Amino acid sequence: MFRFGVDYYPEHWPRERWEMDARLMQEAGVNTVRLAEFAWSYLEPRPDHFDFEWLDRALEILYAHGIQAILGTPTASPPPWVMAMYPDAYRVLASGQRQTYGNRREYCPTHPGYRERSRIITQAMAEHYANHPAVIGWQIDNEFGDRCYCPICRANFQAWLQEKYGSLDAVNAAWGTIFWSHVYTEWSQIPVPLETGGVPNPGLALDYDRFMSDAYVRFQREQVDILRRTCPNHFITHNFMGFHYDRINYFDLARDLDFVAWDNYPRLAWRRVMDVPPASRAIEHDTMRGLKGKNFWVMEEQSGSGGWQTVGMTPRPGEIRLWTYQAIAHGADAILYFRWRTNRFGTEQYWHGVLDHDGRPRRRYREIQGIGAELQRIGDQLVGAESRPQVAIVLCYDTRFAFQIQPNHPDFSYPGLLASYYNALHRRNVGVDIVSPTADLSRYKAVIAPALYVLGQEAADNLQRYVENGGILLTTARTGVKDETNAVVNMPLPGLLAEVCGVEVDEYDTLPTEVSVPLELTLPNDTTAGEVAHARLWCDVLIPTTAEIVARYRDQYYAGRAAITLNRFGRGQALYVGTVGDAVLHETLIDWLVQAAGVPSALTTPDGVEAVERWKDEQRLLFLLNHANDTRDVILPTSMIDLLTDRTVEGRVTLEPKAVMILRGA
Ligand code: GLA
Ligand code: ZN
């Protein structure tokens, strides 16, 4: 069954309304809701006094309308009594300021008292709902994140370091604490990187970010353990925040879960763009699928204008449907809209849901009702379909954290660089997996690992083996610069990948953002067609050892010297791009890469039309999504059947603005 539904807060509305809500949901094809992830105050009004009566009643009404539920453990927003019990459980910001009560997520993730209260409410809910026919699974907490720098975290950081390094000598050596006489002689001397401490030691700062990420993984695991023990028949997930979220190692956070869920808001109040770039959503979905190499859920899909104090653009007609099918095209096995009804009170008064404040169904409800009817018909043909990309992009959270600590160039963005290569592939309708540096790469024809700045031996061996065995690797400047302690390597760059790339960085330069250096490309199959590719921000001046030069700088004192090289290594090839390029360069390199690797495009489409493939058993499904505001024509190479209309289509087909087609072979 395709899980289709909404995030529902019955506790915000009078009980007399619940029946009507359930009926309207049922009429919209809803079969699943998420409940209770912010209801701690109602579930445990006083310490150890639980009240499940209201939730039982809500579940009973929903179930009578054919609707089942995921329950959220409510630990993302503590009731005042929890925080009154533990005044030192308030999170401390990097500035050193302690948070106060009033929003949500005020808690410190390592506070033992907070963790205990979280286990108690989780255990109580788990016991009460373990065998409830309406309950199918759990969401733990809500959108984990936010670093804490409190004294309790400091003590836990010291213990974490002790576990990791064993001795202070090892810590001092790893971080190079001899610099500025930071040699620690007691564990308790080790600080946390508060802003009041100034620019921190990079080794300490990276370990702190890893520790904090790990703190959430461990906090989550305590709840996972309780739920696994008490509710063995339920699934467990968490709602992640997509590719753009950068404070937790999401590969680690996903490990203990059955599958990943995430929250997709294409139009945010603070992102005032007329048109949502399709690739900006696609990379989020692909990253969420990549965390476990598995289909995912959208636990919150935008269904109205987003906003807290201000109101964002409302989804244009057809957009909710387009975003829904785009999520499905990229691997979503379930879609829940946030939120059922726009709230009349609280911080999120202006975060609009399916229904407006007055509870009346209008345009957005009708659009969702239409999608619900479609998915009731064709959902079974989509659930569990596989994505089978032949290209991977490597995402490394250690690298991401390390660039937060030292961006290298004020305008360099690591996720921006990944996205730039991703966008070029997306424009060609080439499917992409986003994978960790140690993932099994053997199934990919090409791997792009931009700026793998913190590079350990295991990841380096993985990439080397991949190329040796015939893979094509694209890597860039700022690769292999740091070892895992965040110290600069004691070898020519790109460090552990210098041999695979057959190149050494002789020296490097950075450029002001407004300045770029034209490149002379000599790549086989150069597709720039008269346009000049440019180096930006960072310029490695390269000396090939075994590689051939495929681009040279045309300006600066290094004019004529190598900027990009290509090396044959084992049965494969490694392209080293010694700069952060512009779009022309990235487009050209991706043209070369897909040709050299023989990676097919799902379909050639006009700008604005996204084509995505999935496989249901051996049946290929082709999704066509017109993100443009006008009609676009697409040419189909063979005759196909449109699942949504049951009609056979062939040759030239016209897609209306925001239209969706899901095609399978005739
Ligand atoms: C997030 C949260 C929700 C809600 C929405 C809208 O995704 O998970 O609880 O706050 O944003 O702000
Ligand atoms: Zn803390």
Side-chain angles (χ1 to χ4, degrees):
M1 171 172 50
F2 194 96
R3 293 276 173 191
F4 184 73
V6 292
D7 302 298
Y8 182 39
Y9 302 89
E11 69 275 23
H12 296 171
W13 305 100
R15 279 188 190 216
E16 307 78 72
R17 170 73 194 200
W18 294 359
E19 187 68 43
M20 157 97 101
D21 281 337
R23 188 170 57 72
L24 285 170
M25 286 179 200
Q26 188 174 26
E27 285 169 13
V30 166
N31 53 36
T32 307
V33 293
R34 182 193 61 185
L35 299 172
E37 86 283 7
F38 287 112
W40 198 344
S41 273
Y42 271 21
L43 294 166
E44 191 183 7
R46 283 175 296 126
D48 307 308
H49 288 78
F50 300 100
D51 179 6
F52 295 115
E53 187 275 331
W54 66 272
L55 188 52
D56 292 348
R57 179 70 191 129
L59 283 166
E60 191 186 327
I61 292 172
L62 291 161
Y63 195 55
H65 288 83
I67 299 170
Q68 290 179 303
I70 299 125
L71 299 181
T73 67
T75 51
S77 197
W81 66 257
V82 172
M83 298 312 281
M85 211 175 225
Y86 307 111
D88 59 349
Y90 282 102
R91 206 159 64 84
V92 171
L93 311 178
S95 65
Q97 255 183 334
R98 204 178 262 283
Q99 285 211 292
T100 54
Y101 200 78
N103 192 255
R104 61 176 175 181
R105 305 211 61 80
E106 298 99 339
Y107 71 85
C108 161
T110 74
H111 189 281
Y114 194 82
R115 297 262 283 247
E116 193 190 359
R117 293 310 328 175
S118 297
R119 290 194 299 272
I120 292 170
I121 181 68
T122 301
Q123 184 68 50
M125 286 179 81
E127 281 169 16
H128 192 83
Y129 291 109
N131 299 308
H132 196 295
V135 176
I136 54 171
W138 298 85
Q139 171 190 300
I140 292 179
D141 200 281
N142 191 84
E143 295 188 339
F144 280 125
D146 308 321
R147 292 175 182 144
C148 180
Y149 297 82
C150 79
I152 292 170
C153 284
R154 179 173 170 179
N156 281 308
F157 177 47
Q158 291 159 354
W160 185 91
L161 291 169
Q162 216 162 340
E163 216 177 284
K164 173 169 176 174
Y165 290 99
S167 73
L168 274 174
D169 285 349
V171 175
N172 283 316
W175 296 349
T177 53
I178 186 58
F179 184 76
W180 284 347
S181 271
H182 288 192
V183 179
Y184 299 105
T185 53
E186 299 283 347
W187 292 100
S188 61
Q189 294 162 354
I190 298 176
V192 301
L194 281 164
E195 282 161 21
T196 45
V199 179
N201 175 301
L204 179 147
L206 178 57
D207 268 335
Y208 197 75
D209 291 348
R210 288 172 172 141
F211 154 74
M212 208 18 87
S213 172
D214 209 33
Y216 283 105
V217 173
R218 292 180 190 203
F219 179 40
Q220 175 177 263
R221 187 173 302 143
E222 286 180 359
Q223 297 191 24
V224 168
D225 288 347
I226 292 170
L227 293 166
R228 293 251 180 260
R229 254 195 329 267
T230 319
C231 308
N233 300 323
H234 293 162
F235 64 74
I236 304 172
T237 187
H238 169 72
N239 55 337
F240 291 64
M241 288 182 270
F243 168 72
H244 68 272
Y245 191 74
D246 60 2
R247 300 280 157 119
I248 293 183
N249 184 328
Y250 268 179
F251 291 107
D252 291 347
L253 192 67
R255 204 158 293 129
D256 291 328
L257 302 172
D258 292 307
F259 56 83
V260 165
W262 86 282
D263 300 341
N264 183 28
Y265 292 98
R267 284 193 182 280
L268 289 179
W270 47 93
R271 218 191 275 146
R272 293 184 176 277
V273 289
M274 272 312 292
D275 296 309
V276 178
S280 76
R281 301 291 93 204
I283 192 173
E284 303 267 6
H285 291 304
D286 287 346
T287 306
M288 296 298 96
R289 194 186 63 246
L291 297 179
K292 287 187 85 74
K294 201 170 164 177
N295 291 352
F296 58 91
W297 284 32
V298 178
M299 197 60 98
E300 299 179 14
E301 177 72 54
Q302 184 163 6
S303 66
S305 39
W308 283 13
Q309 292 94 325
T310 56
V311 179
M313 282 176 72
T314 193
R316 283 24 211 159
E319 277 189 340
I320 298 175
R321 179 169 178 269
L322 180 69
W323 297 335
T324 299
Y325 284 111
Q326 186 188 27
I328 296 172
H330 286 272
D333 269 348
I335 304 278
L336 275 68
Y337 298 96
F338 186 88
R339 50 186 286 152
W340 171 240
R341 178 172 171 184
T342 314
N343 215 353
R344 294 182 41 241
F345 41 75
T347 304
E348 294 194 352
Q349 277 174 6
Y350 289 127
W351 204 283
H352 293 72
V354 181
L355 306 183
D356 290 311
H357 295 97
D358 61 5
R360 304 242 180 118
R362 296 195 174 87
R363 171 179 72 87
R364 303 191 306 280
Y365 173 85
R366 286 193 297 274
E367 186 165 322
I368 285 168
Q369 187 172 37
I371 308 166
E374 287 172 346
L375 288 172
Q376 270 174 353
R377 256 190 317 114
I378 66 162
D380 286 342
Q381 298 175 67
L382 306 176
V383 165
E386 275 178 53
S387 309
R388 296 177 187 166
Q390 299 179 22
V391 179
I393 294 183
V394 174
L395 167 63
C396 171
Y397 282 94
D398 275 351
T399 288
R400 210 165 177 178
F401 297 161
F403 278 131
Q404 287 163 16
I405 297 159
Q406 295 169 301
N408 284 239
H409 184 293
D411 290 317
F412 174 67
S413 158
Y414 172 64
L417 183 63
L418 263 66
S420 172
Y421 283 106
Y422 179 92
N423 293 349
L425 290 159
H426 184 265
R427 221 185 320 282
R428 288 160 181 72
N429 296 317
V430 171
V432 178
D433 272 347
I434 312 276
V435 301
S436 85
T438 51
D440 175 7
L441 302 173
S442 56
R443 88 184 77 146
Y444 302 109
K445 290 187 171 157
V447 170
I448 302 175
L452 212 48
Y453 181 62
V454 177
L455 183 63
Q457 194 66 53
E458 192 188 347
D461 290 347
N462 193 37
L463 291 166
Q464 172 154 344
R465 209 176 316 120
Y466 170 72
V467 179
E468 239 160 32
N469 292 334
I472 299 188
L473 173 69
L474 184 160
T475 186
T476 75
R478 308 322 279 150
T479 292
V481 178
K482 299 286 193 106
D483 65 22
E484 283 168 308
T485 69
N486 210 11
V488 177
V489 296
N490 187 16
M491 55 182 117
L493 299 183
L496 295 175
L497 289 187
E499 195 194 337
V500 185
C501 294
V503 76
E504 284 180 13
V505 176
D506 191 31
E507 63 172 313
Y508 49 66
D509 182 30
T510 69
L511 298 170
T513 305
E514 353 31 280
V515 176
S516 56
V517 176
L519 294 169
E520 187 188 328
L521 283 178
T522 47
L523 259 187
N525 319 315
D526 177 4
T527 53
T528 41
E531 282 190 284
V532 178
H534 283 83
R536 292 168 55 241
L537 307 182
W538 193 280
C539 299
D540 282 343
V541 181
L542 305 175
I543 298 184
T545 48
T546 56
E548 58 174 305
I549 298 172
V550 294
R552 293 173 192 271
Y553 296 107
R554 279 169 42 186
D555 196 3
Q556 303 300 323
Y557 69 91
Y558 35 88
R561 297 196 58 190
I564 305 177
T565 57
L566 179 62
N567 192 41
R568 290 183 186 281
F569 185 86
R571 290 188 284 126
Q573 301 181 67
L575 188 71
Y576 184 84
V577 184
T579 182
V580 177
D582 60 358
V584 177
L585 180 65
H586 293 167
E587 295 289 335
T588 310
L589 296 176
I590 291 302
D591 270 338
W592 173 82
L593 190 85
V594 295
Q595 278 188 33
V599 179
S601 150
L603 189 71
T604 304
T605 55
D607 201 35
V609 178
E610 185 181 9
V612 190
E613 296 169 298
R614 292 179 83 189
W615 279 263
K616 179 81 180 185
D617 307 316
E618 283 322 300
Q619 176 72 65
R620 175 175 178 259
L621 299 173
L622 177 65
F623 291 73
L624 298 180
L625 306 148
N626 183 11
H627 296 268
N629 295 316
D630 45 24
T631 60
R632 297 282 149 107
D633 286 358
V634 167
I635 314 280
L636 298 175
T638 56
S639 129
M640 301 186 88
I641 294 164
D642 183 350
L643 296 191
L644 289 162
T645 60
D646 264 338
R647 281 209 298 266
T648 303
V649 288
E650 58 183 315
R652 179 181 296 274
V653 295
T654 298
L655 291 151
E656 295 302 315
K658 313 294 175 199
V660 175
M661 280 187 160
I662 307 173
L663 305 172
R664 65 171 171 80

